[in-house]
Amino acid sequence: MYEFMVLTDDELKYIKEVLGREPNELELGMMDVMFSEHCSYKSSRPILKNFPTDGPDVILGPGDDAGIVSLTDEYALAIGMESHNHPSAVEPYGGAGTGIGGIVRDIISMGARPVVLLDALRFGHMSDQRSKYIFDYVVKGISDYGNRIGVPTVGGEIEFDDNFQYNPLVNVVCAGLVKKDEIVYGSAPVVGDVYLLMGGTTGRDGIHGVTFASEELTSKSEIEDRPAVQVADPFTKKRVMEATYEILEEIDVHGVKDLGGGGLTCCLSEMADKGGNGSRIDLNKIPLREENMTAYEIMLSESQERMVFAISKEDVAKAEEICAKHDLSRAVIGTIIDEREFVIVDGDEEICHAPNVLFTDAPIIEREAVAPQKDETPVEIPEYDIKDALVELLSSENLTSKKWVYSQYDHEVQLRTVVKPGDDSAVVKVDNDTSFTINTDCNSTHVYLDPYMGAAGSVLESINNAISMGARPIALVDCLNYGNPEKPEVFWQFKQSIAGMSDVANKFVTPFISGNVSFYNETEGVTVNPSPIVGTVGVIENTNIKTMPFKEDGDLVLLLGNTYDELEGSQYAREIHDIVAGNPPQIRLDENYNVSMAVKSLIDNYTDDITAVHDLSKGGLSVALALMSIKSGMGVNVDIKDMPIEGEMSDIAKLYSESVSRFIVTIKADAKDTITKALDDVDVAYAVIGEVKDDATVNISCGDDELINIKVDELTTANTTTIEKQMI
């Protein structure tokens, strides 16, 4: 009976003790799903408690299908982030599409209308044919699904690395606007209400999808695990969306939840338990797509595009009428009972009867965490021609323009996108006065080298990207991608990452309101670089929006924040010298915070004088200046002789170090005295390093020594053709 289970012996013993008997095969199958790492968070829950989850703008923190944060007096933003890594490794087009479908349903479940999608992706190098195939079809899956349901994909980020060759990461964000008085929750609070199941029918696809996601992949997964991948159906999704909005508008809905991982088992047990109640389900009332399905298959199926509503019996006829209007399957499949029990009947036979706790509160597993042995050998990073390094970096896979990707996405549908893909954050309009910013960030190499510093840097970079646009950061979401947590070194990476992320979030008073943990991202001993991908939501006045491109000839270029000799872990070390060793840039939290707040204060108080803002990250100062020129077509004349640095360092280090919390800010020339006085008053390191020119040339010198002199057209060609050439 137990051969197909991933339940441990201790978990089986616990189940028998709580039940007071042997569970039957259906009960065991359902509990097996709910005890999986993907559903139960049994390894990560104690560590995730270290995250700050409350703040002045938070309406709903972690625990529901999405977090909710206040934007204006009238509107809130529902936001969630999910992974679909394993399915995308096995079937990239369908895996990516169903990942989008699932996160969109999460937002709909809160009563919100999805207005943006973002994707954070990791692949093997494009020189590997299988990696190129997965990359191509993941992008197609995201594009086709998002475009067909009319939700714009407005941002994201991509990294390529050898250790993602067999385990790509496909993380997706969705956010939706909802009026504050129209928010609904994923619970079943009223005894006597009924469950209305609507949308797609239930088939055999996706069975054991969550247990598949809670195991390592193998070389046979592409064949053996394909049935665990759900089938995407964006056309049904569009009808489900419209019917859901109509039901929410016409009926007093007491709770609603989508069917994702764990199918009916997860959805019904969680709704009832959050409402303090239980469920009695009639198996024969569930609409099926295939014949002769067993109870086990029905309750564990992860067929897509299904929603469950908790409504009063008096409202059933109206709800069914709306579903019929949209040509959707619908059925009342059970009732909410006043005992915290999950009961399923098949005709006159009771085939499941167990307390909610066996589905919603799996016992915690205390994992061992051990730091791996670190090579402390000093890292020697050779010199290289400075100009050639810039061209090579701009054309490298991780720094090249991702226009080939985002040009396939409809980022203009709904007409809310104010700042489109390619800047530090997307900006999305809420109303005539207010917009919100949204982005994702993570430097997986930095996290690999030092999980605390790298993960903290991911949060800091994401927050700074919001600040660069002129926004006030108000909330964080995350998707935490790691290897097998049963390995002490992997779990140490996880714990260190959470500590670093928490410290930065606390410093900026920016809480985590939703997220996801994805473990077991390994294949036959190859573990992905730990990748805690972070998204930041910021709120911004429409009059304060800033962008990256240079604006006017004669604008002055300021560099804010100290540069340290931190070439280790940099794109320069990796791409030019094939060195991935040493330590990533260090977090100096008080200093970092002061610089970020100084930039925000400048934009708030002198917005008319600030013409462009961009934070420095991968590639350092020279790449940041080059990208601002590429985006605008304008040149820049810079002298780094007096740039703020700590300690002696080479020109290479000045230009390619990736020290955190540094910004390029351009200002109108006649505002120099005003801006520099404001910066002097807050005591942050800065320097006026140059000016914007209309000669379409990037010129960087150090005193009398010219370091780089290159036409913007040459930089643009280097930066915008790499993926295009590979994907012909």
Side-chain angles (χ1 to χ4, degrees):
M1 177 190 286
Y2 304 151
E3 62 184 5
F4 53 84
M5 300 293 174
V6 296
L7 290 165
T8 66
D9 290 342
D10 286 342
E11 288 168 343
L12 284 167
K13 181 181 178 182
Y14 169 76
I15 289 168
K16 293 173 189 176
E17 288 175 351
V18 173
L19 273 179
R21 59 175 172 82
E22 288 278 342
N24 62 38
E25 186 170 319
L26 172 62
E27 291 167 333
L28 264 180
M30 294 165 64
M31 293 168 195
D32 182 51
V33 164
M34 297 306 294
F35 276 53
S36 70
E37 194 70 58
H38 189 86
C39 283
S40 71
Y41 287 51
K42 58 190 176 186
S43 299
S44 58
R45 263 186 288 164
I47 315 303
L48 295 175
K49 289 178 180 177
N50 293 312
F51 275 158
T53 58
D54 197 13
D57 303 288
V58 176
I59 295 172
L60 179 67
D64 214 308
D65 284 341
I68 303 179
V69 65
S70 175
L71 293 177
T72 68
D73 290 342
E74 183 179 11
Y75 281 100
L77 189 76
I79 184 168
M81 191 172 189
E82 282 285 352
S83 63
H84 236 226
N85 302 337
H86 282 31
S88 299
V90 171
E91 209 290 272
Y93 181 86
T98 52
I100 294 291
I103 196 65
V104 167
R105 286 195 308 275
D106 285 342
I107 300 308
I108 296 169
S109 296
M110 311 310 297
R113 284 187 175 266
V115 293
V116 292
L117 291 164
L118 297 90
D119 52 77
L121 311 173
R122 300 289 185 272
F123 303 101
H125 293 296
M126 286 183 283
S127 56
D128 173 69
Q129 288 301 308
R130 183 174 180 275
S131 295
K132 186 160 72 171
Y133 160 76
I134 291 174
F135 171 42
D136 190 9
Y137 279 90
V138 163
V139 171
K140 280 184 169 67
I142 293 169
S143 170
D144 285 355
Y145 201 104
N147 292 351
R148 286 168 181 169
I149 63 173
V151 180
T153 302
V154 299
E157 39 102 38
I158 303 175
E159 281 189 11
F160 298 90
D161 194 281
D162 285 339
N163 61 54
F164 299 114
Q165 181 172 334
Y166 301 107
N167 281 270
L169 302 184
V170 178
N171 293 182
V172 290
V173 178
C174 185
L177 291 173
V178 58
K179 290 184 177 180
K180 292 179 179 178
D181 59 357
E182 295 179 359
I183 296 170
V184 291
Y185 301 97
S187 67
V190 181
V191 173
D193 271 3
V194 297
Y195 290 115
L196 177 77
L197 172 63
M198 62 84 90
T201 50
T202 299
R204 289 188 171 93
D205 53 312
I207 293 173
H208 272 295
V210 294
T211 46
F212 162 55
S214 303
E215 300 174 313
E216 295 180 22
L217 293 174
T218 71
S219 56
K220 299 178 181 178
S221 290
E222 194 162 349
I223 296 172
E224 293 180 351
D225 293 320
R226 191 169 290 267
V229 181
Q230 308 91 337
V231 177
D233 185 357
F235 300 108
T236 298
K237 162 60 62 59
K238 185 65 174 173
R239 302 201 310 274
V240 168
M241 290 169 66
E242 296 308 318
T244 297
Y245 301 142
E246 194 169 340
I247 289 172
L248 292 172
E249 185 176 334
E250 297 290 333
I251 292 172
D252 182 16
V253 174
H254 298 146
V256 60
K257 190 172 178 64
D258 79 295
L259 273 72
L264 284 163
T265 297
C266 180
C267 173
L268 296 170
S269 61
E270 289 187 353
M271 284 186 77
D273 199 60
K274 284 178 181 175
N277 297 310
S279 305
R280 182 178 178 86
I281 304 301
D282 187 340
L283 190 76
N284 295 322
K285 296 291 179 65
I286 298 169
L288 305 179
R289 187 189 317 142
E290 303 179 45
E291 295 182 356
N292 302 315
M293 288 185 68
T294 65
Y296 179 94
E297 292 172 327
I298 293 168
M299 294 306 298
L300 272 61
S301 167
E302 295 182 13
S303 294
Q304 295 289 284
E305 323 309 351
R306 298 179 296 164
M307 306 280 287
V308 168
F309 293 81
I311 58 177
S312 68
K313 294 175 182 177
E314 290 75 19
D315 290 323
V316 169
K318 181 63 175 176
E320 290 186 333
E321 177 187 332
I322 293 170
C323 293
K325 170 183 166 184
H326 292 276
D327 194 24
L328 293 171
S329 167
R330 64 277 179 193
V332 172
I333 63 169
T335 58
I336 297 159
I337 59 177
D338 62 0
E339 297 174 303
R340 300 186 85 151
E341 303 278 332
F342 198 163
V343 181
I344 304 173
V345 296
D346 182 0
D348 295 330
E349 182 185 1
E350 194 172 80
I351 57 174
C352 171
H353 193 139
N356 288 350
V357 68
L358 288 178
F359 303 97
T360 60
D361 192 18
I364 294 295
I365 295 180
E366 299 288 345
R367 300 286 188 194
E368 183 182 8
V370 176
Q373 194 72 32
K374 187 174 176 69
D375 185 356
E376 300 293 348
T377 305
V379 179
E380 295 290 335
I381 300 177
E383 292 284 304
Y384 196 78
D385 183 85
I386 291 178
K387 174 185 168 183
D388 290 348
L390 176 59
V391 175
E392 290 181 34
L393 284 174
L394 287 171
S395 63
S396 65
E397 287 178 325
N398 288 327
L399 290 177
T400 189
S401 165
K402 304 306 186 293
K403 187 175 181 179
W404 181 88
V405 175
Y406 63 72
S407 65
Q408 298 183 49
Y409 304 151
D410 187 343
H411 46 262
E412 307 243 27
V413 66
Q414 299 191 26
L415 304 178
R416 290 184 179 272
T417 312
V418 179
V419 178
K420 300 170 179 63
D423 214 302
D424 285 342
S425 294
V427 180
V428 182
K429 184 178 179 180
V430 179
D431 56 32
N432 290 334
D433 299 316
T434 307
S435 293
F436 69 89
T437 63
I438 190 164
N439 64 65
T440 62
D441 274 292
C442 175
N443 188 317
S444 299
T445 300
H446 287 176
V447 186
Y448 165 74
L449 293 174
D450 184 324
Y452 177 93
M453 291 295 176
S458 296
V459 178
L460 189 57
E461 168 68 6
S462 186
I463 286 175
N464 283 341
N465 278 335
I467 290 172
S468 292
M469 310 306 293
R472 175 175 66 89
I474 57 174
L476 300 165
V477 294
D478 64 80
C479 199
L480 310 174
N481 305 272
Y482 292 80
N484 186 341
E486 298 162 38
K487 296 180 178 179
E489 294 82 5
V490 170
F491 202 64
W492 176 83
Q493 291 177 330
F494 180 74
K495 290 184 70 174
Q496 288 292 301
S497 297
I498 301 305
M501 296 167 76
S502 299
D503 285 349
V504 176
N506 278 316
K507 182 68 174 180
F508 282 81
V509 195
T510 310
F512 287 92
I513 64 169
S514 186
N516 177 66
V517 178
S518 176
F519 282 132
Y520 297 97
N521 291 290
E522 355 190 323
T523 300
E524 298 178 351
V526 179
T527 303
V528 300
N529 281 347
S531 301
I533 296 174
V534 180
T536 298
V537 175
V539 64
I540 184 171
E541 295 179 16
N542 292 338
T543 53
N544 273 6
I545 296 171
K546 302 301 168 189
T547 56
M548 176 197 305
F550 292 134
K551 301 300 187 300
E552 297 289 341
D553 181 66
D555 283 351
L556 300 182
V557 180
L558 278 66
L559 174 62
L560 277 68
N562 279 315
T563 298
Y564 294 81
D565 192 351
E566 294 179 316
L567 281 177
E568 294 177 7
S570 68
Q571 293 296 303
Y572 172 83
R574 172 180 163 159
E575 299 293 344
I576 305 301
H577 299 292
D578 197 26
I579 296 172
V580 180
N583 296 301
Q586 300 298 289
I587 300 297
R588 303 166 178 89
L589 200 46
D590 289 339
E591 178 183 328
N592 302 148
Y593 177 82
N594 290 341
V595 174
S596 299
M597 290 300 102
V599 173
K600 184 179 182 309
S601 178
L602 286 182
I603 297 172
D604 287 346
N605 294 305
Y606 308 101
T607 189
D608 291 340
D609 296 323
I610 308 296
T611 53
V613 183
H614 180 40
D615 83 308
L616 277 61
S617 56
K618 291 177 183 174
L621 175 61
S622 62
V623 168
L625 290 167
L627 290 175
M628 295 176 83
S629 283
I630 290 168
K631 297 286 185 183
S632 63
M634 301 190 72
V636 65
N637 199 1
V638 163
D639 185 348
I640 62 171
K641 179 171 61 73
D642 296 322
M643 67 181 280
I645 62 173
E646 284 289 329
E648 293 295 317
M649 67 186 73
S650 66
D651 291 337
I652 285 277
K654 291 176 183 177
L655 289 174
Y656 296 112
S657 170
E658 295 178 5
S659 299
V660 298
S661 279
R662 295 180 298 156
F663 295 80
I664 295 170
V665 177
T666 65
I667 63 173
K668 295 177 180 178
D670 60 8
K672 178 182 177 181
D673 291 345
T674 301
I675 299 299
T676 55
K677 181 181 185 306
L679 290 171
D680 290 337
D681 289 344
V682 294
D683 192 26
V684 298
Y686 77 94
V688 179
I689 62 171
E691 64 178 331
V692 177
K693 307 294 287 184
D694 62 3
D695 61 359
T697 301
V698 172
N699 186 290
I700 301 176
S701 62
C702 185
D704 295 331
D705 297 327
E706 184 177 83
L707 306 176
I708 295 173
N709 188 295
I710 188 169
K711 288 294 184 180
V712 175
D713 282 350
E714 185 178 342
L715 296 176
T716 301
T717 299
N719 186 239
T720 57
T721 57
T722 301
I723 297 178
E724 287 76 3
K725 289 177 180 177
Q726 284 281 354
M727 303 307 291
I728 292 174

